[in-house]
Amino acid sequence: MLPADAVVRSGLVAGGTLDRETARALARELRRSSALSDAARALRHRDVSRRRLDERLARRGARPEARADALATLERAGLVDDARVAATKARSLAERGYGDAAIRFALEGEQLAAELVEAALAALEPERERVKTLLRDPADVKALRRLAARGFASETLEDVAGFANGS
């Protein structure tokens, strides 16, 4: 069964002839509808950046014009929003105990624009304050190493550990 939206947009009518031009329009609309469905399915469980969604559609064989149209439709509907993806992911990682370097790395891995990455990081509680919350004992070397491994700046860790020790 053909998607109704593709049939209507292609100009196909019941009882009409399927000429070459109408068949091409129908094929184009079917590709567009398929790309939109694939993209919407990818967004069911989590936000995905525009670029990641475009790559997913490309891997599934969607043509560039169908991908662009699907992404534009989803952006107009507010379902694709890279700023929201950056802010949500940054906040989630910060809440899970990651430092700015690890968060930046994850956001860049999502292929988000540099200005969105910086805005998402700027919106977080300062790294120093997050370290103070996570570090119960500033003299705990293991805890400091763990935080360093989670992307906290060594300067921040040294500063907080030194500040707590009266240095």
Side-chain angles (χ1 to χ4, degrees), residues 48-133:
V48 180
S49 70
R50 186 181 205 290
R51 186 173 285 167
R52 285 279 171 119
L53 207 47
D54 187 49
E55 289 172 352
R56 177 187 174 107
L57 293 174
R59 282 192 310 271
R60 292 179 156 271
R63 291 186 176 175
E65 62 276 0
R67 295 191 327 253
D69 189 48
L71 293 170
T73 299
L74 292 170
E75 282 177 326
R76 281 192 305 274
L79 297 173
V80 173
D81 181 350
D82 281 356
R84 184 181 64 229
V85 170
T88 302
K89 188 165 186 99
R91 195 170 39 255
S92 172
L93 290 169
E95 289 169 358
R96 290 177 19 217
Y98 286 91
D100 287 354
I103 295 169
R104 178 177 281 108
F105 182 78
L107 295 179
E108 289 171 350
E110 288 291 321
Q111 300 176 337
L112 294 163
E115 62 272 5
L116 296 177
V117 171
E118 294 309 317
L121 286 168
L124 296 175
E125 178 181 32
E127 189 176 58
R128 177 183 169 84
E129 299 308 313
R130 295 193 325 260
V131 168
K132 285 180 182 180
T133 302

Side-chain angles (χ1 to χ4, degrees), residues 130-140 143-144 147 157 160-161:
R130 295 193 325 260
V131 168
K132 285 180 182 180
T133 302
L134 294 168
L135 194 59
R136 293 188 183 127
D137 176 11
D140 185 352
L144 289 167
L147 291 176
L157 295 172
V160 171

